Amino acid sequence: MAGLISLVLLGLLIAYIVLKPSRYNGHTTGKGVPIHILVLGDIGRSPRMTYHALSIAKHGGKVKLIGYLETSPHPDILTHPNITLIPLPTPPSRPPSVPFLLFAPIKVIFQILHLSYLLLYLLPPSAWLLVQNPPSIPTLAIASLTSYLRNSHLIIDWHNYGWTILSSTRGPSHPFVSLSKIYETYLGRLGSHHLTVTNAMARQLRAAPYSIPPHKPMISVHDRPAAIFQPILSPDARNEALDKILFPSGREYYRALVSGKMKLLVSSTSWTPDEDFSLLLSALTMYAARPDAVPILALITGKGPQKEYYDDKIDALVKEGKLPNVRIATLFLPFEDYARLLACADLGVCLHMSSSGVDLPMKVVDMFGAGLPVVAYGGYESFGELVKEGVNGRGFETGEELAGVLGELLKPEGENELKHLKKGAVEEGRRRWDEEWDGTVGRLMGFIEESS
Ligand SMILES: *[C@@H]1O[C@H](CO)[C@@H](O)[C@H](O)[C@H]1NC(C)=O
């Protein structure tokens, strides 16, 4: 393994000597300034990097947005004259027979070779390189090498920590966990500018083990809903939107939902182990067992590895008669329909369990944008930076608590509290990304005058 990695490094060194990458020496802000945005993930499922790209492009920066094209990206990205998409080739996926420990390094080497070729040679140099972290491997290494060799400012946008995610999926004692922690904390310091998703995260990054020095600018940029997420406040408009979403497969629920006899619950998940979907399933089972349970249609949106596993589990619970009055459907919706669904729903459920304790779930931000109050898992430090208990949502930590909150809010006597929470959600969703961005990143990158 060490031999293989040394070979790759040697190859990179020779390539560097032969093909010496050009350096950036133009202006660093204003119209036409070239900016690379790198996300080692699906662009369509990277809303925050999408919004960064749109904001920079709106202020006249020329953006190259680099990432995987798996689901369809935000429509504005595709048509914006100042944004060019640079799709990355999908890395080979792991056959089930190959162990993770063997496969992961092969995939990483593939990514290193392709990314360094792309960033160091194929693309012209840029004034700024904005990278999303995580994934940290190999992004942080390639990005810091690129910014050093090509004279670009490196902005790291910290969404979370790669090593805490790895620790929650592979177990804290997995050999990669401590290795990736050292890697991430060391290379993280090489960014010249830092963005974080919460204030709590910014505080943490200044302290050990991250220890980002005080002279490097760091600002928290809270996620904000995109313009596409808007509340639907008139009943007629809601009925029309419901009709669009439920056609044709959910027609039978339309009347019950319109009359309020049935409640519409929405949850979106990436079907990964850092969201314990079984928590919602067990809560819905407990809820269904109540004699006074108001019928629920629970729509679970999203794509991901554990979906089939849970589809089978749901089927089994239905067969056993454990979900009377609760109908659960899993689906994947295009962006517009998803936004519409959030605006029509009665309650959003979020199962995000922060592995770092200091990130926040984007889906709750979007729910607020659509004026949808939430019931969210709340057992982590930064939770209160987004969900205000009893104002725009409610928190829970166990399946019993979730079932209890659902019972309280969905029964007819809960109507007033639900209305109150909805008001809070609409209020919270009013502040939008453009405002947030202009006041933070826009100033940091010099697109917005300090004095304005
Ligand atoms: C694209 O960038 C130019 C300047 O480079 C700017 O004048 C124009 O408004 C931008 N286009 C859009 C649609 O934002």
Side-chain angles (χ1 to χ4, degrees):
M1 183 52 57
L4 198 55
I5 291 175
S6 329
L7 213 63
V8 170
L9 292 177
L10 187 68
L12 284 176
L13 187 68
I14 294 173
Y16 170 71
I17 296 167
V18 177
L19 302 160
K20 203 165 172 25
S22 58
R23 289 170 67 78
Y24 185 77
N25 49 24
H27 56 312
T28 58
T29 191
K31 295 211 181 312
V33 62
I35 294 169
H36 292 167
I37 300 182
L38 171 63
V39 46
L40 210 56
D42 177 25
I43 293 176
R45 280 175 290 178
S46 303
R48 187 171 159 100
M49 301 319 270
T50 296
Y51 303 153
H52 278 308
L54 289 170
S55 296
I56 293 170
K58 182 176 134 191
H59 287 92
K62 293 280 183 219
V63 176
K64 290 202 163 51
L65 179 55
I66 306 155
Y68 297 121
L69 277 185
E70 287 165 14
T71 58
S72 49
H74 192 292
D76 293 354
I77 287 280
L78 299 171
T79 54
H80 204 292
N82 295 343
I83 300 178
T84 315
L85 272 184
I86 311 281
L88 293 172
T90 321
S93 59
R94 176 166 69 105
S97 56
V98 180
F100 173 78
L101 263 178
L102 183 71
F103 184 78
I106 295 177
K107 177 173 155 185
V108 168
I109 289 171
F110 176 88
Q111 289 171 326
I112 290 179
L113 290 176
H114 186 266
L115 273 181
S116 26
Y117 181 56
L118 179 73
L119 289 171
L120 292 173
Y121 304 107
L122 273 189
L123 298 177
S126 63
W128 299 83
L129 173 58
L130 168 59
V131 296
Q132 169 181 322
N133 182 71
S136 325
I137 302 172
T139 334
L140 286 184
I142 303 288
S144 37
L145 184 71
T146 302
S147 64
Y148 174 71
L149 293 178
R150 310 207 78 179
N151 194 31
S152 313
H153 292 305
L154 174 60
I155 311 185
I156 302 178
D157 189 11
W158 296 84
H159 296 197
N160 208 331
Y161 308 131
W163 71 271
T164 59
I165 294 177
L166 200 62
S167 162
S168 72
T169 53
R170 298 276 148 192
S173 56
H174 195 278
F176 274 6
V177 172
S178 41
L179 213 62
S180 72
K181 181 175 178 181
I182 295 170
Y183 166 94
E184 193 171 6
T185 50
Y186 177 71
L187 288 171
R189 275 171 232 155
L190 300 182
S192 57
H193 299 68
H194 298 266
L195 312 177
T196 63
V197 288
T198 62
N199 306 332
M201 188 181 278
R203 281 195 297 275
Q204 219 169 59
L205 284 172
R206 290 287 189 205
Y210 306 96
S211 311
I212 292 176
H215 69 269
K216 299 201 166 176
M218 181 175 332
I219 40 176
S220 53
V221 186
H222 286 94
D223 281 319
R224 290 291 153 193
I228 195 167
F229 296 100
Q230 296 292 344
I232 297 181
L233 298 171
S234 103
D236 283 348
R238 179 190 186 238
N239 297 349
E240 195 183 312
L242 264 180
D243 188 66
K244 282 210 180 84
I245 295 162
L246 296 174
F247 186 82
S249 51
R251 292 291 342 184
E252 53 188 301
Y253 306 110
Y254 179 74
R255 268 174 197 289
L257 287 172
V258 164
S259 66
K261 288 200 184 95
M262 185 181 220
K263 296 290 184 187
L264 180 56
L265 213 69
V266 182
S267 187
S268 91
T269 172
S270 47
W271 298 107
T272 48
D274 66 336
E275 289 185 338
D276 188 2
F277 186 74
S278 62
L279 204 63
L280 176 56
L281 216 48
S282 73
L284 286 174
T285 316
M286 282 182 251
Y287 174 86
R290 294 168 162 240
D292 61 344
V294 171
I296 289 181
L297 172 63
L299 298 183
I300 319 295
T301 72
K303 268 190 188 147
Q306 295 190 328
K307 180 169 180 293
E308 272 176 35
Y309 168 79
Y310 279 111
D311 275 337
D312 291 346
K313 257 190 139 161
I314 294 166
D315 284 347
L317 285 171
V318 171
K319 285 212 184 80
E320 289 163 31
K322 295 246 171 79
L323 288 171
N325 285 330
V326 175
R327 169 81 173 88
I328 306 176
T330 61
L331 67 171
F332 185 79
L333 291 174
F335 219 48
E336 286 86 353
D337 286 343
Y338 176 62
R340 209 175 264 144
L341 171 64
L342 294 189
C344 292
D346 293 293
L347 200 56
V349 177
C350 175
L351 302 167
H352 175 81
M353 294 190 179
S354 169
S355 66
S356 60
V358 292
D359 65 325
L360 285 171
M362 184 72 196
K363 63 190 120 199
V364 170
V365 175
D366 292 337
M367 286 173 180
F368 287 156
L372 178 64
V374 302
V375 181
Y377 175 80
Y380 54 97
E381 187 185 334
S382 55
F383 180 71
E385 285 186 42
L386 184 60
V387 179
K388 316 271 185 309
E389 182 72 30
V391 176
N392 50 25
R394 301 275 301 265
F396 68 87
E397 292 193 20
T398 64
E400 285 85 16
E401 281 174 25
L402 174 54
V405 176
L406 292 180
E408 236 176 86
L409 293 178
L410 299 182
K411 68 183 178 197
E413 302 78 45
E415 186 84 25
N416 278 340
E417 186 178 0
L418 200 55
K419 274 205 180 115
H420 173 73
L421 294 180
K422 182 164 185 76
K423 223 174 110 212
V426 171
E427 196 58 45
E428 176 69 33
R430 226 170 243 151
R431 195 176 148 95
R432 294 286 157 156
W433 173 262
D434 282 347
E435 243 177 281
E436 179 81 13
W437 194 88
D438 287 1
T440 53
V441 195
R443 278 165 199 250
L444 188 80
M445 296 181 80
F447 284 109
I448 308 285
E449 298 282 325
E450 277 302 335
S451 57
S452 68

